[in-house]
Amino acid sequence: MAQGMHVDGERWNLPRKATETRRRLWSHLYTLDRMISLALGRPYAIADQHCLTKPVTNIWVDEMNSDEAAMAQPRPLSDPTPSIMSMFNQSLAQIIGRIQEKCFGLDPPVYDTVLNLDQELLKWKDELPPYFSLQNPDLSLDNETRPFLKWHRLYLHTNYHFARITLHRPYLLRNSIVNRFQYSRKACMESATIDLQSRLSIYNVELVERFRWGLGSHQLFNSALVLGIIGVRSPNTQESYGIIEDLEAYCEKQTSDLWMNEFGLAEVKVVQMCITRAKQLRSNTHDISSQLSSQLPMQPPAAVDYQFQIPEPRQPMPFPPEASIPFQPYFEMPNANIWADPFSSFPQVGDFDMWQEMINTIGMDNS
């Protein structure tokens, strides 16, 4: 901003080529600011009301001279250029900024606000062109002339899943007598599962290419851990069996990578803690069930006579408005509030003692 990057090049009467380059650069800076803010729980640095920028257009002028760039026209969305990702990334970053502002500010959010922001994310997803679609994307344009497209797709998808997981993560383990937070649990599991699959798919490309494109939110410490938490919380469900298998495959891929950094290896260790705890809880449940079945004699079910009159259903008690419901963590245990408190964040990735204590806390009511 000290260099005037927050002011569009047209206002400075700059050449078209410089203007388009500045727009892309500003888009990346803006996205980075919003992603860091959401990931670290810190206020973002760029205020929209202080900026006079214009959105990126689908045009690539880097290989043109000044005269060609001045006459060039933006391409339609059906003909993507390397600038295409910046267009959608910036619009997603604007939603991420609103998530940070409304849900992770000084005041705790109303759950309706979370659902409204989730609708904004879903609307952004539905407006993506077919080659960026989150479900069965059109891969017909992936060719030698557009090698960037598959990586741009990865970046956009992982940015979206990271934003949606972070939005709903405070409600992952929060309790409700009417099960009103089930939507957030489903959203977390859906995005975390898809995001983990996309991360596993990266290993199918050559190592040199992975290093070249190995930046982005797909490296953030989020989706694998969320799945591990779900596996520990509900170790005996059918979904948990599939989650644990995927996490084991992910850990195997990570540990077999000769160039894995310390951050990635620390993530693997925490995920392995979740896997071990989920299997332990599952084994304890099976042992208890076996003991009960061996101790109780088998008896035929007794006949029941339902000749009494069924009472009329009672009218439900009026439920207080959502804004007046006080926040209650799911567990009355040390460190359990970190999964339900929107102002809390994950511990440092290398703080294994804290992770082990918290993972054990999640499964205490299952043991």
Side-chain angles (χ1 to χ4, degrees):
M1 296 182 73
Q3 299 179 21
M5 297 297 297
H6 63 300
V7 179
D8 193 76
E10 289 184 354
R11 293 178 176 268
W12 296 117
N13 295 320
L14 295 178
R16 176 74 177 284
K17 189 172 183 177
T19 297
E20 293 294 340
T21 303
R22 287 167 61 94
R23 287 175 180 172
R24 290 204 315 273
L25 178 57
W26 177 256
S27 171
H28 295 314
L29 292 172
Y30 185 91
T31 301
L32 185 62
D33 175 55
R34 293 303 194 261
M35 293 292 292
I36 290 175
S37 174
L38 191 63
L40 301 182
R42 303 290 189 269
Y44 49 76
I46 299 174
D48 291 334
Q49 61 268 28
H50 298 157
C51 303
L52 297 171
T53 56
K54 291 185 177 181
V56 179
T57 55
N58 185 28
I59 188 173
W60 189 252
V61 297
D62 292 40
E63 300 173 356
M64 302 179 184
N65 57 40
S66 298
D67 294 336
E68 292 173 339
M71 301 297 295
Q73 296 297 320
R75 306 297 302 169
L77 290 181
S78 58
D79 183 14
T81 69
S83 298
I84 195 72
M85 183 191 69
S86 301
M87 297 172 53
F88 295 102
N89 232 359
Q90 187 166 0
S91 59
L92 177 61
Q94 292 171 345
I95 302 176
I96 290 175
R98 291 193 286 274
I99 292 174
Q100 170 67 14
E101 180 180 353
K102 295 181 180 181
C103 296
F104 300 95
L106 296 178
D107 298 321
V110 178
Y111 192 58
D112 280 346
T113 301
V114 175
L115 297 180
N116 291 336
L117 288 167
D118 184 76
Q119 290 302 310
E120 290 190 39
L121 288 173
L122 294 176
K123 183 174 182 292
W124 176 89
K125 179 196 71 170
D126 294 338
E127 293 177 351
L128 291 173
Y131 47 83
F132 282 154
S133 176
L134 271 80
Q135 295 179 343
N136 300 319
D138 180 11
L139 305 181
S140 60
L141 297 180
D142 291 21
N143 49 45
E144 295 180 357
T145 61
R146 296 187 181 92
F148 57 86
L149 206 53
K150 61 180 180 181
W151 296 104
H152 288 185
R153 186 184 302 115
L154 171 68
Y155 295 155
L156 290 175
H157 288 190
T158 52
N159 286 353
Y160 166 83
H161 292 308
F162 171 76
R164 197 166 190 229
I165 291 172
T166 308
L167 172 64
H168 289 284
R169 196 184 69 194
Y171 306 92
L172 182 61
L173 299 181
R174 193 178 296 194
N175 192 22
S176 170
I177 59 175
V178 294
N179 206 23
R180 60 201 299 260
F181 302 124
Q182 182 65 21
Y183 181 87
S184 289
R185 288 191 283 272
K186 289 182 178 179
C188 278
M189 187 167 65
E190 175 185 304
S191 284
T193 302
I194 298 174
D195 186 53
L196 188 70
Q197 291 173 351
S198 67
R199 295 180 67 172
L200 288 172
S201 68
I202 300 175
Y203 291 93
N204 297 327
V205 300
E206 295 180 359
L207 183 61
V208 175
E209 196 173 29
R210 277 168 47 201
F211 278 143
R212 180 184 177 187
W213 300 95
L215 302 174
S217 56
H218 60 280
Q219 302 291 348
L220 289 172
F221 185 52
N222 204 11
S223 57
L225 179 59
V226 167
L227 290 175
I229 295 168
I230 295 174
V232 174
R233 183 65 186 90
S234 305
N236 296 302
T237 62
Q238 189 64 34
E239 294 173 338
S240 176
Y241 280 83
I243 287 173
I244 296 303
E245 290 180 0
D246 289 344
L247 290 178
E248 288 177 331
Y250 173 71
C251 291
E252 182 180 355
K253 289 283 188 181
Q254 292 285 77
T255 53
S256 62
D257 189 348
L258 298 177
W259 301 98
M260 181 55 57
N261 55 33
E262 294 182 0
F263 183 87
L265 293 176
E267 177 192 17
V268 169
K269 185 169 183 178
V270 175
V271 173
Q272 287 175 337
M273 291 179 185
C274 294
I275 295 173
T276 302
R277 182 59 174 163
K279 289 184 175 180
Q280 178 187 6
L281 293 171
R282 190 183 299 167
S283 176
N284 292 344
T285 304
H286 291 168
D287 292 343
I288 294 174
S289 300
S290 300
Q291 293 176 5
L292 291 176
S293 60
S294 62
Q295 294 174 3
L296 295 177
M298 296 296 294
Q299 297 179 354
V304 181
D305 185 10
Y306 294 104
Q307 299 300 324
F308 56 85
Q309 183 178 4
I310 300 177
E312 294 293 331
R314 298 175 58 186
Q315 295 295 325
M317 296 181 62
F319 201 69
E322 184 171 327
S324 64
I325 300 175
F327 160 72
Q328 292 291 338
Y330 192 93
F331 302 111
E332 297 295 337
M333 302 177 185
N335 298 323
N337 65 324
I338 197 167
W339 308 111
D341 186 356
F343 303 106
S344 297
S345 58
F346 284 166
Q348 294 294 326
V349 65
D351 193 351
F352 300 126
D353 291 337
M354 177 63 73
W355 279 116
Q356 187 67 71
E357 182 180 354
M358 293 172 61
I359 292 169
N360 290 340
T361 301
I362 296 173
M364 283 182 68
D365 66 331
N366 293 328
S367 58

